[in-house]
Amino acid sequence: MDLFDDSPLQLPDAELTWLPHWLDTALADAWLARLLAETPWEQPRVNLHGREYPVPRRVAWYGDADAQYGYSGLRHQPLPWTALLAEIRARVEAEVGQAFNGVLLNYYRDGGDSMGWHSDAEPILGRNPVIASLNLGGTRRFDLRRRGHSRIQHSLALSHGSLLVMSGPTQHHWQHQVAKTRASCAPRVNLTFRLLKVPGA
Ligand SMILES: O=C(O)CCC(=O)C(=O)O
Ligand SMILES: [Mn+2]
């Protein structure tokens, strides 16, 4: 199987919508430049097996005031929506046809920054969460494997201006990662829009 097959993604027990050219390049360039300049990036430390490690990337959590999100073992008070993030959210909501109350920004400065295997299946996201993932900047490889298995089943090259929507049972059956690479990579910002099931949402 071609790991970079860009045809409609048909993985069992998953629902993936892949829009490689969702944004035109000029708008994607402008959003990337503004996000890099405006975002108060943080590098939280996580506890793994009794030792503390900084996460291998920079992050920021924005959302409605009640959308407190626990990721990397910590609870995060959301930053308020900026004009730019509210505009991006509106475009993503119109595309996907559902509302989101938070967005996690991940900043990968180069190929040494990464995100390990996980699924986005925290209880606060509820059953069958819809996660809309917008990619800006350098292309990185996004791998998918079945939960409980080590073999990569599919990879996508997440390119500048692309949108990947994961929905249905995907998070309950599949894990994903953005692995480190020695290849040279331009800075990349990824935005994952989420709907947290908080009272009043
Ligand atoms: O950077 C990416 O494409 C993946 C981000 C991700 O999986 C997450 O934020 O949960
Ligand atoms: Mn994820």
Side-chain angles (χ1 to χ4, degrees):
M1 184 174 70
D2 176 4
L3 286 178
F4 287 102
D5 183 0
D6 268 352
S7 59
L9 290 179
Q10 303 281 6
L11 298 177
D13 305 313
E15 231 173 81
L16 302 167
T17 304
W18 170 230
L19 304 171
H21 307 291
W22 189 63
L23 279 184
D24 69 65
T25 307
L27 189 57
D29 288 350
W31 284 1
L32 175 63
R34 282 179 62 187
L35 290 172
L36 284 172
E38 288 179 4
T39 309
W41 299 108
E42 289 187 356
Q43 188 176 25
R45 298 178 73 82
V46 291
N47 206 300
L48 264 187
H49 313 299
R51 274 189 62 186
E52 275 215 347
Y53 301 89
V55 298
R57 62 191 172 277
R58 302 292 192 266
V59 301
W61 170 245
Y62 288 84
D64 297 354
D66 55 359
Q68 289 193 13
Y69 194 37
Y71 60 89
S72 303
L74 305 164
R75 291 206 77 72
H76 296 264
Q77 185 64 38
L79 296 163
W81 294 97
T82 61
L84 174 60
L85 287 170
E87 178 190 337
I88 300 175
R89 172 171 68 157
R91 296 255 312 224
V92 171
E93 287 179 341
E95 177 67 50
V96 177
Q98 97 139 46
F100 297 103
N101 59 5
V103 62
L104 179 63
L105 274 60
N106 290 297
Y107 171 28
Y108 304 79
R109 294 162 299 169
D110 56 33
D113 280 352
S114 61
M115 184 175 293
W117 286 113
H118 70 283
S119 46
D120 295 299
E122 295 93 349
I124 198 162
L125 296 173
R127 213 172 103 81
N128 294 348
V130 177
I131 295 178
S133 175
L134 172 61
N135 304 293
L136 299 171
T139 298
R140 293 292 295 265
R141 200 188 76 215
F142 181 85
D143 301 321
L144 288 149
R145 73 177 183 190
R146 266 196 175 270
R147 276 197 185 196
H149 294 255
S150 56
R151 192 169 70 86
I152 295 171
Q153 295 262 346
H154 195 87
S155 297
L156 280 166
L158 298 183
S159 49
H160 191 43
S162 65
L163 185 74
L164 174 67
V165 185
M166 299 185 272
S167 52
T170 310
Q171 302 303 327
H172 307 302
H173 296 282
W174 293 84
Q175 292 185 315
H176 50 273
Q177 73 165 357
V178 177
K180 293 186 193 305
T181 172
R182 270 197 267 272
S184 85
C185 290
R188 165 175 189 262
V189 173
N190 168 267
L191 300 84
T192 50
F193 289 85
R194 298 153 193 258
L195 176 62
L196 276 60
K197 311 282 181 184
V198 292

PDB file of all heavy atoms in Angstrom, residues 99-127:
ATOM      1  N   ALA A  99     -20.207  23.177  15.591  1.00  0.00           N
ATOM      2  CA  ALA A  99     -19.595  24.226  16.402  1.00  0.00           C
ATOM      3  C   ALA A  99     -18.404  23.673  17.184  1.00  0.00           C
ATOM      4  O   ALA A  99     -18.362  22.489  17.520  1.00  0.00           O
ATOM      5  CB  ALA A  99     -20.625  24.786  17.371  1.00  0.00           C
ATOM      6  N   PHE A 100     -17.444  24.548  17.448  1.00  0.00           N
ATOM      7  CA  PHE A 100     -16.300  24.193  18.294  1.00  0.00           C
ATOM      8  C   PHE A 100     -16.157  25.251  19.381  1.00  0.00           C
ATOM      9  O   PHE A 100     -16.386  26.438  19.127  1.00  0.00           O
ATOM     10  CB  PHE A 100     -15.016  24.138  17.456  1.00  0.00           C
ATOM     11  CG  PHE A 100     -15.043  23.080  16.393  1.00  0.00           C
ATOM     12  CD1 PHE A 100     -15.260  23.403  15.063  1.00  0.00           C
ATOM     13  CD2 PHE A 100     -14.879  21.742  16.723  1.00  0.00           C
ATOM     14  CE1 PHE A 100     -15.316  22.422  14.081  1.00  0.00           C
ATOM     15  CE2 PHE A 100     -14.932  20.745  15.745  1.00  0.00           C
ATOM     16  CZ  PHE A 100     -15.144  21.097  14.425  1.00  0.00           C
ATOM     17  N   ASN A 101     -15.772  24.827  20.589  1.00  0.00           N
ATOM     18  CA  ASN A 101     -15.590  25.817  21.664  1.00  0.00           C
ATOM     19  C   ASN A 101     -14.146  25.937  22.140  1.00  0.00           C
ATOM     20  O   ASN A 101     -13.863  26.634  23.107  1.00  0.00           O
ATOM     21  CB  ASN A 101     -16.539  25.546  22.843  1.00  0.00           C
ATOM     22  CG  ASN A 101     -16.326  24.170  23.453  1.00  0.00           C
ATOM     23  OD1 ASN A 101     -15.406  23.452  23.058  1.00  0.00           O
ATOM     24  ND2 ASN A 101     -17.165  23.804  24.415  1.00  0.00           N
ATOM     25  N   GLY A 102     -13.234  25.287  21.438  1.00  0.00           N
ATOM     26  CA  GLY A 102     -11.831  25.424  21.802  1.00  0.00           C
ATOM     27  C   GLY A 102     -10.924  25.044  20.647  1.00  0.00           C
ATOM     28  O   GLY A 102     -11.350  24.348  19.717  1.00  0.00           O
ATOM     29  N   VAL A 103      -9.702  25.548  20.708  1.00  0.00           N
ATOM     30  CA  VAL A 103      -8.706  25.161  19.697  1.00  0.00           C
ATOM     31  C   VAL A 103      -7.336  25.045  20.375  1.00  0.00           C
ATOM     32  O   VAL A 103      -6.916  25.928  21.127  1.00  0.00           O
ATOM     33  CB  VAL A 103      -8.648  26.155  18.512  1.00  0.00           C
ATOM     34  CG1 VAL A 103      -8.249  27.560  18.924  1.00  0.00           C
ATOM     35  CG2 VAL A 103      -7.690  25.644  17.430  1.00  0.00           C
ATOM     36  N   LEU A 104      -6.684  23.903  20.121  1.00  0.00           N
ATOM     37  CA  LEU A 104      -5.321  23.689  20.612  1.00  0.00           C
ATOM     38  C   LEU A 104      -4.358  24.009  19.476  1.00  0.00           C
ATOM     39  O   LEU A 104      -4.470  23.452  18.386  1.00  0.00           O
ATOM     40  CB  LEU A 104      -5.149  22.237  21.060  1.00  0.00           C
ATOM     41  CG  LEU A 104      -3.771  21.852  21.570  1.00  0.00           C
ATOM     42  CD1 LEU A 104      -3.406  22.652  22.831  1.00  0.00           C
ATOM     43  CD2 LEU A 104      -3.702  20.354  21.888  1.00  0.00           C
ATOM     44  N   LEU A 105      -3.437  24.929  19.747  1.00  0.00           N
ATOM     45  CA  LEU A 105      -2.405  25.265  18.765  1.00  0.00           C
ATOM     46  C   LEU A 105      -1.119  24.539  19.137  1.00  0.00           C
ATOM     47  O   LEU A 105      -0.697  24.584  20.311  1.00  0.00           O
ATOM     48  CB  LEU A 105      -2.131  26.776  18.761  1.00  0.00           C
ATOM     49  CG  LEU A 105      -3.028  27.651  17.869  1.00  0.00           C
ATOM     50  CD1 LEU A 105      -4.483  27.547  18.269  1.00  0.00           C
ATOM     51  CD2 LEU A 105      -2.564  29.096  17.930  1.00  0.00           C
ATOM     52  N   ASN A 106      -0.528  23.887  18.166  1.00  0.00           N
ATOM     53  CA  ASN A 106       0.771  23.234  18.343  1.00  0.00           C
ATOM     54  C   ASN A 106       1.750  23.865  17.373  1.00  0.00           C
ATOM     55  O   ASN A 106       1.455  23.992  16.183  1.00  0.00           O
ATOM     56  CB  ASN A 106       0.668  21.737  18.018  1.00  0.00           C
ATOM     57  CG  ASN A 106      -0.130  20.968  19.039  1.00  0.00           C
ATOM     58  OD1 ASN A 106       0.248  20.884  20.198  1.00  0.00           O
ATOM     59  ND2 ASN A 106      -1.261  20.413  18.612  1.00  0.00           N
ATOM     60  N   TYR A 107       2.913  24.216  17.897  1.00  0.00           N
ATOM     61  CA  TYR A 107       3.950  24.850  17.078  1.00  0.00           C
ATOM     62  C   TYR A 107       5.176  23.936  17.066  1.00  0.00           C
ATOM     63  O   TYR A 107       5.768  23.667  18.111  1.00  0.00           O
ATOM     64  CB  TYR A 107       4.271  26.217  17.684  1.00  0.00           C
ATOM     65  CG  TYR A 107       5.460  26.960  17.111  1.00  0.00           C
ATOM     66  CD1 TYR A 107       5.875  26.785  15.793  1.00  0.00           C
ATOM     67  CD2 TYR A 107       6.150  27.872  17.906  1.00  0.00           C
ATOM     68  CE1 TYR A 107       6.964  27.475  15.297  1.00  0.00           C
ATOM     69  CE2 TYR A 107       7.238  28.576  17.410  1.00  0.00           C
ATOM     70  CZ  TYR A 107       7.643  28.368  16.112  1.00  0.00           C
ATOM     71  OH  TYR A 107       8.730  29.057  15.622  1.00  0.00           O
ATOM     72  N   TYR A 108       5.483  23.440  15.864  1.00  0.00           N
ATOM     73  CA  TYR A 108       6.648  22.581  15.656  1.00  0.00           C
ATOM     74  C   TYR A 108       7.706  23.445  14.988  1.00  0.00           C
ATOM     75  O   TYR A 108       7.578  23.795  13.809  1.00  0.00           O
ATOM     76  CB  TYR A 108       6.274  21.406  14.754  1.00  0.00           C
ATOM     77  CG  TYR A 108       5.107  20.551  15.240  1.00  0.00           C
ATOM     78  CD1 TYR A 108       3.782  20.973  15.074  1.00  0.00           C
ATOM     79  CD2 TYR A 108       5.317  19.329  15.862  1.00  0.00           C
ATOM     80  CE1 TYR A 108       2.713  20.195  15.509  1.00  0.00           C
ATOM     81  CE2 TYR A 108       4.252  18.536  16.300  1.00  0.00           C
ATOM     82  CZ  TYR A 108       2.959  18.989  16.122  1.00  0.00           C
ATOM     83  OH  TYR A 108       1.897  18.218  16.553  1.00  0.00           O
ATOM     84  N   ARG A 109       8.748  23.780  15.755  1.00  0.00           N
ATOM     85  CA  ARG A 109       9.737  24.724  15.221  1.00  0.00           C
ATOM     86  C   ARG A 109      10.557  24.125  14.096  1.00  0.00           C
ATOM     87  O   ARG A 109      10.941  24.806  13.152  1.00  0.00           O
ATOM     88  CB  ARG A 109      10.663  25.195  16.354  1.00  0.00           C
ATOM     89  CG  ARG A 109       9.922  26.021  17.412  1.00  0.00           C
ATOM     90  CD  ARG A 109      10.703  26.093  18.680  1.00  0.00           C
ATOM     91  NE  ARG A 109      10.897  24.740  19.220  1.00  0.00           N
ATOM     92  CZ  ARG A 109      11.718  24.424  20.210  1.00  0.00           C
ATOM     93  NH1 ARG A 109      12.450  25.375  20.777  1.00  0.00           N
ATOM     94  NH2 ARG A 109      11.820  23.181  20.619  1.00  0.00           N
ATOM     95  N   ASP A 110      10.844  22.819  14.207  1.00  0.00           N
ATOM     96  CA  ASP A 110      11.614  22.105  13.180  1.00  0.00           C
ATOM     97  C   ASP A 110      11.357  20.611  13.353  1.00  0.00           C
ATOM     98  O   ASP A 110      10.493  20.223  14.151  1.00  0.00           O
ATOM     99  CB  ASP A 110      13.114  22.440  13.284  1.00  0.00           C
ATOM    100  CG  ASP A 110      13.669  22.147  14.680  1.00  0.00           C
ATOM    101  OD1 ASP A 110      13.191  21.191  15.322  1.00  0.00           O
ATOM    102  OD2 ASP A 110      14.584  22.871  15.121  1.00  0.00           O
ATOM    103  N   GLY A 111      12.123  19.778  12.647  1.00  0.00           N
ATOM    104  CA  GLY A 111      11.885  18.333  12.678  1.00  0.00           C
ATOM    105  C   GLY A 111      12.123  17.691  14.038  1.00  0.00           C
ATOM    106  O   GLY A 111      11.731  16.548  14.270  1.00  0.00           O
ATOM    107  N   GLY A 112      12.772  18.417  14.944  1.00  0.00           N
ATOM    108  CA  GLY A 112      13.001  17.895  16.293  1.00  0.00           C
ATOM    109  C   GLY A 112      11.773  18.011  17.183  1.00  0.00           C
ATOM    110  O   GLY A 112      11.705  17.384  18.245  1.00  0.00           O
ATOM    111  N   ASP A 113      10.805  18.838  16.785  1.00  0.00           N
ATOM    112  CA  ASP A 113       9.555  18.938  17.548  1.00  0.00           C
ATOM    113  C   ASP A 113       8.583  17.874  17.041  1.00  0.00           C
ATOM    114  O   ASP A 113       8.584  17.529  15.852  1.00  0.00           O
ATOM    115  CB  ASP A 113       8.953  20.337  17.408  1.00  0.00           C
ATOM    116  CG  ASP A 113       9.621  21.350  18.339  1.00  0.00           C
ATOM    117  OD1 ASP A 113      10.442  20.928  19.185  1.00  0.00           O
ATOM    118  OD2 ASP A 113       9.347  22.559  18.214  1.00  0.00           O
ATOM    119  N   SER A 114       7.743  17.375  17.939  1.00  0.00           N
ATOM    120  CA  SER A 114       6.951  16.192  17.591  1.00  0.00           C
ATOM    121  C   SER A 114       5.752  16.057  18.517  1.00  0.00           C
ATOM    122  O   SER A 114       5.621  16.796  19.499  1.00  0.00           O
ATOM    123  CB  SER A 114       7.821  14.939  17.733  1.00  0.00           C
ATOM    124  OG  SER A 114       8.258  14.812  19.087  1.00  0.00           O
ATOM    125  N   MET A 115       4.891  15.087  18.171  1.00  0.00           N
ATOM    126  CA  MET A 115       3.813  14.668  19.072  1.00  0.00           C
ATOM    127  C   MET A 115       3.719  13.153  19.021  1.00  0.00           C
ATOM    128  O   MET A 115       3.601  12.571  17.942  1.00  0.00           O
ATOM    129  CB  MET A 115       2.473  15.298  18.668  1.00  0.00           C
ATOM    130  CG  MET A 115       1.385  14.936  19.665  1.00  0.00           C
ATOM    131  SD  MET A 115      -0.203  15.718  19.389  1.00  0.00           S
ATOM    132  CE  MET A 115       0.156  17.398  19.705  1.00  0.00           C
ATOM    133  N   GLY A 116       3.802  12.525  20.176  1.00  0.00           N
ATOM    134  CA  GLY A 116       3.830  11.064  20.248  1.00  0.00           C
ATOM    135  C   GLY A 116       2.456  10.440  19.984  1.00  0.00           C
ATOM    136  O   GLY A 116       1.438  11.129  19.869  1.00  0.00           O
ATOM    137  N   TRP A 117       2.444   9.110  19.913  1.00  0.00           N
ATOM    138  CA  TRP A 117       1.207   8.369  19.649  1.00  0.00           C
ATOM    139  C   TRP A 117       0.156   8.674  20.707  1.00  0.00           C
ATOM    140  O   TRP A 117       0.429   8.615  21.906  1.00  0.00           O
ATOM    141  CB  TRP A 117       1.483   6.866  19.679  1.00  0.00           C
ATOM    142  CG  TRP A 117       2.213   6.338  18.490  1.00  0.00           C
ATOM    143  CD1 TRP A 117       3.485   5.827  18.471  1.00  0.00           C
ATOM    144  CD2 TRP A 117       1.705   6.215  17.157  1.00  0.00           C
ATOM    145  NE1 TRP A 117       3.795   5.413  17.198  1.00  0.00           N
ATOM    146  CE2 TRP A 117       2.726   5.633  16.374  1.00  0.00           C
ATOM    147  CE3 TRP A 117       0.492   6.549  16.546  1.00  0.00           C
ATOM    148  CZ2 TRP A 117       2.574   5.373  15.017  1.00  0.00           C
ATOM    149  CZ3 TRP A 117       0.339   6.293  15.187  1.00  0.00           C
ATOM    150  CH2 TRP A 117       1.367   5.708  14.442  1.00  0.00           C
ATOM    151  N   HIS A 118      -1.034   8.962  20.260  1.00  0.00           N
ATOM    152  CA  HIS A 118      -2.162   9.196  21.171  1.00  0.00           C
ATOM    153  C   HIS A 118      -3.447   9.164  20.353  1.00  0.00           C
ATOM    154  O   HIS A 118      -3.416   9.199  19.125  1.00  0.00           O
ATOM    155  CB  HIS A 118      -2.031  10.575  21.850  1.00  0.00           C
ATOM    156  CG  HIS A 118      -2.244  11.706  20.898  1.00  0.00           C
ATOM    157  ND1 HIS A 118      -1.278  12.116  20.001  1.00  0.00           N
ATOM    158  CD2 HIS A 118      -3.334  12.478  20.650  1.00  0.00           C
ATOM    159  CE1 HIS A 118      -1.760  13.097  19.263  1.00  0.00           C
ATOM    160  NE2 HIS A 118      -3.015  13.342  19.633  1.00  0.00           N
ATOM    161  N   SER A 119      -4.576   9.103  21.067  1.00  0.00           N
ATOM    162  CA  SER A 119      -5.842   9.428  20.416  1.00  0.00           C
ATOM    163  C   SER A 119      -6.476  10.537  21.229  1.00  0.00           C
ATOM    164  O   SER A 119      -6.146  10.726  22.404  1.00  0.00           O
ATOM    165  CB  SER A 119      -6.748   8.209  20.297  1.00  0.00           C
ATOM    166  OG  SER A 119      -6.786   7.528  21.505  1.00  0.00           O
ATOM    167  N   ASP A 120      -7.349  11.297  20.593  1.00  0.00           N
ATOM    168  CA  ASP A 120      -8.008  12.404  21.279  1.00  0.00           C
ATOM    169  C   ASP A 120      -9.333  11.867  21.801  1.00  0.00           C
ATOM    170  O   ASP A 120     -10.377  12.067  21.187  1.00  0.00           O
ATOM    171  CB  ASP A 120      -8.176  13.585  20.315  1.00  0.00           C
ATOM    172  CG  ASP A 120      -6.813  14.124  19.904  1.00  0.00           C
ATOM    173  OD1 ASP A 120      -6.067  14.559  20.777  1.00  0.00           O
ATOM    174  OD2 ASP A 120      -6.487  14.046  18.707  1.00  0.00           O
ATOM    175  N   ALA A 121      -9.228  11.155  22.905  1.00  0.00           N
ATOM    176  CA  ALA A 121     -10.395  10.431  23.426  1.00  0.00           C
ATOM    177  C   ALA A 121     -10.636  10.772  24.885  1.00  0.00           C
ATOM    178  O   ALA A 121     -11.159   9.950  25.635  1.00  0.00           O
ATOM    179  CB  ALA A 121     -10.183   8.931  23.245  1.00  0.00           C
ATOM    180  N   GLU A 122     -10.256  11.969  25.305  1.00  0.00           N
ATOM    181  CA  GLU A 122     -10.523  12.356  26.680  1.00  0.00           C
ATOM    182  C   GLU A 122     -12.030  12.372  26.908  1.00  0.00           C
ATOM    183  O   GLU A 122     -12.792  12.752  26.009  1.00  0.00           O
ATOM    184  CB  GLU A 122      -9.961  13.747  26.980  1.00  0.00           C
ATOM    185  CG  GLU A 122      -8.449  13.856  26.921  1.00  0.00           C
ATOM    186  CD  GLU A 122      -7.938  14.293  25.557  1.00  0.00           C
ATOM    187  OE1 GLU A 122      -8.753  14.303  24.598  1.00  0.00           O
ATOM    188  OE2 GLU A 122      -6.745  14.603  25.449  1.00  0.00           O
ATOM    189  N   PRO A 123     -12.471  11.972  28.118  1.00  0.00           N
ATOM    190  CA  PRO A 123     -13.919  11.934  28.388  1.00  0.00           C
ATOM    191  C   PRO A 123     -14.624  13.248  28.066  1.00  0.00           C
ATOM    192  O   PRO A 123     -15.767  13.238  27.591  1.00  0.00           O
ATOM    193  CB  PRO A 123     -13.988  11.623  29.894  1.00  0.00           C
ATOM    194  CG  PRO A 123     -12.702  10.915  30.197  1.00  0.00           C
ATOM    195  CD  PRO A 123     -11.678  11.458  29.239  1.00  0.00           C
ATOM    196  N   ILE A 124     -13.945  14.388  28.281  1.00  0.00           N
ATOM    197  CA  ILE A 124     -14.607  15.675  28.065  1.00  0.00           C
ATOM    198  C   ILE A 124     -14.952  15.913  26.588  1.00  0.00           C
ATOM    199  O   ILE A 124     -15.780  16.774  26.264  1.00  0.00           O
ATOM    200  CB  ILE A 124     -13.748  16.832  28.642  1.00  0.00           C
ATOM    201  CG1 ILE A 124     -14.618  18.085  28.831  1.00  0.00           C
ATOM    202  CG2 ILE A 124     -12.547  17.124  27.757  1.00  0.00           C
ATOM    203  CD1 ILE A 124     -14.055  19.107  29.750  1.00  0.00           C
ATOM    204  N   LEU A 125     -14.353  15.150  25.686  1.00  0.00           N
ATOM    205  CA  LEU A 125     -14.687  15.283  24.257  1.00  0.00           C
ATOM    206  C   LEU A 125     -15.901  14.435  23.873  1.00  0.00           C
ATOM    207  O   LEU A 125     -16.429  14.576  22.760  1.00  0.00           O
ATOM    208  CB  LEU A 125     -13.488  14.889  23.385  1.00  0.00           C
ATOM    209  CG  LEU A 125     -12.248  15.781  23.534  1.00  0.00           C
ATOM    210  CD1 LEU A 125     -11.072  15.195  22.766  1.00  0.00           C
ATOM    211  CD2 LEU A 125     -12.527  17.197  23.063  1.00  0.00           C
ATOM    212  N   GLY A 126     -16.337  13.554  24.769  1.00  0.00           N
ATOM    213  CA  GLY A 126     -17.525  12.745  24.513  1.00  0.00           C
ATOM    214  C   GLY A 126     -17.257  11.628  23.523  1.00  0.00           C
ATOM    215  O   GLY A 126     -16.124  11.392  23.094  1.00  0.00           O
ATOM    216  N   ARG A 127     -18.357  10.940  23.138  1.00  0.00           N
ATOM    217  CA  ARG A 127     -18.253   9.820  22.214  1.00  0.00           C
ATOM    218  C   ARG A 127     -18.143  10.362  20.786  1.00  0.00           C
ATOM    219  O   ARG A 127     -18.792  11.352  20.445  1.00  0.00           O
ATOM    220  CB  ARG A 127     -19.541   9.002  22.333  1.00  0.00           C
ATOM    221  CG  ARG A 127     -19.376   7.536  22.124  1.00  0.00           C
ATOM    222  CD  ARG A 127     -20.704   6.876  22.483  1.00  0.00           C
ATOM    223  NE  ARG A 127     -21.436   6.524  21.272  1.00  0.00           N
ATOM    224  CZ  ARG A 127     -21.186   5.435  20.560  1.00  0.00           C
ATOM    225  NH1 ARG A 127     -20.228   4.611  20.938  1.00  0.00           N
ATOM    226  NH2 ARG A 127     -21.880   5.164  19.480  1.00  0.00           N
TER     227      ARG A 127
END
